[in-house]
Structures are given as C-alpha cells and as structure tokens.
Amino acid sequence: MRYLRSRVVTFCISYALWLTLSFSVDWQHLLIGLLVSLFAAFLMGDMFAEQAHKWFSPRRYLWFMIYVFVFTWECFKANLDVARRVLNPHLPINPGIVKVKTILKTESGLTFLANFITLTPGTLSVDVNREEGVLYIHWIDVKTQDVEEASRIIVSKFERILKEVLE
Amino acid sequence: MTDLLSLIFIVVGITFDLFGSIGLIRMPDIYNRLQASTKCVTLGTCGILFGVFLKFGFTAAGVKALVCIIFLLLTAPVAAHALARGAHRSGVRPCKGSACDKYAEDDTSAATKPLKG
C-alpha cells in the first residue's frame, strides 16, 4: 500500500488521541477507537504526515522541547504586552501590515511559523505566500517597514528552531 | 497545595480572558481586536484548563483538559488567521492612523481584489 508509513503515523496519533479522550480501557471503547482510527488513517494517509520519516528522528523531539519552552515564554510575554496596551488609557498602538520573508518551505513549517507569530507579542499573521516565502503580518507597533529588518525582528529567532523541528 | 495552585491558575486565566475582552472593546479595528482577543483568550483559557487539570489530576476530566489545551493552541491562531485574511480580502482596511498596509500594495491579482470599498 502506498504511503504506508504515513498511514501508520496517522493511525498511531489518532488512536492515541482517542485513548486520551475516552480515557477508559473498556473493550468496546478500544474496538470502536481502533476501527475509526484505521478508517481515518486509510482516508487521510497521504494528506496528513507527508514526510513520515521525520516522526522517527529523536533529534527533532529535542528541538521540539526547546520550541515548547520558547513558545510558552513568548506567549506569556505576548499576554502581558496586550494587557499593558489595553489597560493604558492612551491606547499606545501604531498598527500596520508589514511583509516579512522566511526561509521555511514546507507546509507544516509555514503553518507552525504562522501560528507562532500569531501567539507572540504584537504580531498576527494575515496571509502566507508559499511560492515567494513571504508572510504578511499585522504588527500592532510597527517599528520598521523595511522587509529585511522586519524579518529579522519578527521571524528570525523562531525560524531556526522550526527548521530543526520540521524541515 | 495543588488546590491553591489550581485556583491561582484559574484566577490568572480569568484575568487574562478579561483583558482580552477589554481589548476587544477598546481596539479600533478588526486586526487589532483579533490581536488582543486571540492572544489573551488563548492563554487565559489554557490557564483555566491547566487549573482544572491540576485540580483533577490524571483522571478522565483532567486529561481531557490537557488535550483541550493542545487543541486550542493549534486552532485559535488558525481561526484568527482565517478571520484576518477573510476580512482583508473582502475589503476591510486597517484603521486610520495605521503605519502601512503592504498586503494591499502587493495584492494585484484579480482574485484578491477587494469586493467593495
């Protein structure tokens, strides 16, 4: 069968998700979860987990841990930043949509980068142009309109981690 | 001790949810509103769910709360992105006093022209 490895990965993920959600070892639950996961893996195998070999390299998981820590910290900073802005009577914002370049190419890489950007201080991804590797980002406090400079400030620190995890 | 910790997480979560809601009212346009609501409501709700997890531990309810955190972290930014992109493509421009709008400048294809305004 084609995409066998992708299907196996999809099956494992969906079955694990089912087990945590149902959270019982009753045979009926296990059987239904098994059937539904197999069906999902059969349908989605070639869409989800495109490059299955990436799931088997431990180095990526190590970088993923780093990613989680950086992400949590940035997310927390983002919240303090928003709180500071909305509670200030003068509403100190200087919004605008800027353009940044990224070196990430894969779909999953761009997805995670866009998600990351949305949850980090002051930025919200509006659109992604995959062919040119360009992201349009709404920035609540525009510091520069220059593409290179904005890329350095917004994306460069996460790009490296995501490149190690996903590409 | 864990009870106290879980209460702290829930209270902090609710506070951030409140900030997000205030931002939703005070910000001038949809993009800024999305900024405030997405960030604060995501972390606020995650805080509440994590508090629930601490309270119930590794039981059915607690583990579901943990799974919900992952689900929320993955879907909230995607929803915000879809809303922002949809708004921009249907012709909602950033508010007055915005520094720049590179997206509108670059969008020359017919498919992405604003429908009106």
Side-chain angles (χ1 to χ4, degrees):
Chain A
M1 195 198 273
R2 285 175 72 207
Y3 305 115
L4 184 64
R5 251 199 315 195
S6 293
R7 283 178 215 270
V8 170
V9 170
T10 312
F11 170 74
C12 292
I13 292 174
S14 40
Y15 199 41
L17 191 67
W18 168 263
L19 288 182
T20 44
L21 275 180
S22 70
F23 210 75
S24 81
V25 282
D26 187 4
W27 70 269
Q28 288 170 328
H29 279 102
L30 294 182
L31 183 70
I32 280 292
L34 191 76
L35 291 178
V36 173
S37 310
L38 276 175
F39 186 61
F42 174 70
L43 277 186
M44 301 283 293
D46 50 341
M47 296 182 218
F48 186 72
E50 276 175 338
Q51 289 135 317
H53 65 274
K54 287 177 179 173
W55 290 86
F56 300 103
S57 101
R59 218 174 110 257
R60 292 179 194 275
Y61 290 97
L62 214 75
W63 276 97
F64 185 71
M65 297 302 288
I66 298 175
Y67 168 75
V68 169
F69 278 113
V70 176
F71 180 82
T72 315
W73 174 240
E74 290 289 331
C75 195
F76 192 67
K77 261 192 355 200
N79 277 271
L80 292 181
D81 180 71
V82 171
R84 184 175 62 80
R85 284 180 208 280
V86 299
L87 293 180
N88 190 321
H90 302 296
L91 205 64
I93 55 172
N94 173 31
I97 297 178
V98 296
K99 181 177 164 183
V100 298
K101 278 191 161 49
T102 173
I103 49 169
L104 298 176
K105 291 279 185 297
T106 59
E107 248 169 49
S108 48
L110 283 170
T111 310
F112 270 84
L113 183 69
N115 277 9
F116 204 123
I117 285 169
T118 299
L119 289 178
T120 49
T123 49
L124 172 88
S125 39
V126 176
D127 203 358
V128 180
N129 187 336
R130 198 180 163 199
E131 285 81 44
E132 294 168 32
V134 167
L135 288 115
Y136 296 95
I137 289 169
H138 182 266
W139 202 354
I140 207 165
D141 183 15
V142 176
K143 295 196 185 73
T144 170
Q145 297 189 23
D146 182 55
V147 175
E148 303 294 327
E149 186 70 9
S151 309
R152 200 179 55 75
I153 297 175
I154 299 175
V155 286
S156 59
K157 45 180 168 171
F158 318 128
E159 243 173 17
R160 220 180 85 76
I161 302 176
L162 282 172
K163 201 171 167 54
E164 297 288 343
V165 180
L166 294 163
E167 297 203 343
Chain B
M1 187 60 203
T2 35
D3 264 8
L4 186 67
L5 253 175
S6 81
L7 278 180
I8 291 173
F9 266 103
I10 291 176
V11 168
V12 170
I14 291 174
T15 318
F16 276 124
D17 270 2
L18 177 69
F19 291 156
S21 312
I22 296 174
L24 197 63
I25 298 170
R26 288 202 66 200
M27 290 296 187
D29 68 353
I30 179 173
Y31 307 103
N32 291 305
R33 286 179 175 172
L34 274 175
Q35 292 248 12
S37 53
T38 312
K39 293 189 211 338
C40 278
V41 172
T42 305
L43 193 80
T45 313
C46 286
I48 297 173
L49 286 169
F50 194 71
V52 169
F53 165 69
L54 285 181
K55 174 95 181 149
F56 289 100
F58 282 97
T59 61
V63 172
K64 276 195 188 83
L66 274 190
V67 176
C68 283
I69 291 180
I70 299 171
F71 199 68
L72 199 66
L73 281 179
L74 287 178
T75 52
V78 176
H81 160 70
L83 282 171
R85 184 166 180 272
H88 204 286
R89 288 181 66 149
S90 57
V92 181
R93 290 284 162 264
C95 65
K96 268 190 194 138
S98 293
C100 54
D101 188 353
K102 292 273 170 70
Y103 188 38
E105 286 166 26
D106 283 7
D107 246 355
T108 47
S109 64
T112 52
K113 274 265 188 282
L115 297 175
K116 56 176 188 281

